[in-house]
Amino acid sequence: MLETGIATPGYRITPLQQIAKGGRWRTEAMRSYAQPVLYWFTRGQGRITIQGATHGYGPHNAVLLPPGTMHGFDTLGQVAGSAIFLRPDPSLDVPETAIHLRLRDATLQAELNLQVDNIQRELDRGAQASDRALLHHAGLMLLWLERQAGPDWQEGAEPGGSAGRLAAAFTALLERDFRRGRTVADYAAQLGITPTHLSRACKAASGRPASALLQDRLHYEARRLLRETSLPVKDVAQALGFRSAAYFTRAFQQRTGQTPSAFRRGG
């Protein structure tokens, strides 16, 4: 696995630089996690795409994502910070909508650093780390983030306009069904619009057509399975809804410049 240093299952803090070492696809390609994650960018800038809508980020930006949120981010130059993964515990009461905070005040930056440090210190206890302490630290951090976002954060976090709403609806369906071999036309039909309309909406919201988001999500998962599991290539193809292993190999090589087997050996 790429992320290391797991002291208690579900909780971990990974430097963004470490994630990026696995290749640009580790950060830029669309993916989601089954647990809440907070990206705390302390240096650098770039763009982050959340549920089909793209926004800029900069130093001291905090982005909290609920479980299952499709996203990816690119970087302009060096970026520093951490990804804080939390246990998917119902008692945490994680917000249902992403929060993006731009913390320009040094006092607020120090307060969030302290929240993250509290979790890290408990993780550093290794086998003696307390689930109860981690749950409380995570809950306090989530509450702090919600308070900083204020009462209107939910409205502000939603993608704006009809294009943003369509892109969000598409990516929610995509995240649920991308393993089923569906096409952009299938998703468009489910949304009651034409494929052209869907692609235009995605292009307006994220700068990429619907087909690019679909392929990005599929090939992130393909690369993850090839690097992090021992599944045979034919099983990876089947798990992702490709018609055959040969078709998957051609599509993967066209996307990455490598065959699945060569990509796996390069891990």
Side-chain angles (χ1 to χ4, degrees), residues 149-164:
D152 298 327
W153 69 268
Q154 204 160 15
E155 180 181 351
E158 292 287 352
S162 60

Side-chain angles (χ1 to χ4, degrees), residues 3 25 29 33 38 58 67 111 131 165 167 220 235 249 253 260 265:
E3 291 87 6
W25 66 273
Y33 299 108
L38 171 68
E111 288 179 4
D131 283 351
R165 289 190 293 272
Y220 173 86
D235 291 346
T249 296
Q253 188 166 15
R265 288 194 299 271

Side-chain angles (χ1 to χ4, degrees), residues 79-245:
V79 168
S82 301
I84 300 96
F85 296 89
L86 308 178
R87 174 173 290 177
D89 189 323
S91 63
L92 273 179
D93 195 23
V94 179
E96 295 182 359
T97 306
I99 294 176
H100 185 164
L101 297 176
R102 293 171 171 83
L103 301 176
R104 297 180 175 87
D105 186 276
T107 300
L108 297 179
Q109 296 164 15
E111 288 179 4
L112 182 53
N113 282 329
L114 178 60
Q115 300 280 349
V116 175
D117 288 345
N118 286 337
I119 295 174
Q120 184 63 68
R121 278 194 292 270
E122 191 62 31
L123 289 172
D124 289 342
R125 294 172 61 86
Q128 284 71 49
S130 164
D131 283 351
R132 184 180 175 191
L134 287 166
L135 179 64
H136 286 307
H137 286 314
L140 287 170
M141 184 177 71
L142 291 175
L143 178 59
W144 186 91
L145 289 166
E146 288 190 46
R147 285 177 171 173
Q148 299 313 312
D152 298 327
W153 69 268
Q154 204 160 15
E155 180 181 351
E158 292 287 352
S162 60
R165 289 190 293 272
L166 269 178
F170 166 62
T171 56
L173 290 174
L174 172 57
E175 186 56 39
R176 188 188 70 186
D177 295 336
F178 72 89
R179 298 176 184 86
R180 300 177 63 180
R182 292 187 169 180
T183 65
V184 169
D186 294 327
Y187 290 109
Q190 194 167 356
L191 292 168
I193 57 176
T194 66
T196 299
H197 187 179
L198 177 57
S199 285
R200 285 175 178 165
C202 291
K203 183 80 171 178
S206 69
R208 286 183 282 182
S211 59
L213 294 172
L214 170 59
Q215 293 303 313
D216 213 27
R217 184 66 183 96
L218 271 175
H219 286 280
Y220 173 86
E221 197 68 14
R223 285 177 283 201
R224 187 189 70 80
L225 290 172
L226 290 167
R227 284 283 171 87
E228 298 180 1
T229 77
S230 57
L231 282 175
V233 171
K234 64 180 180 61
D235 291 346
V236 173
Q238 184 178 15
L240 295 177
F242 284 89
R243 296 194 298 267
S244 67

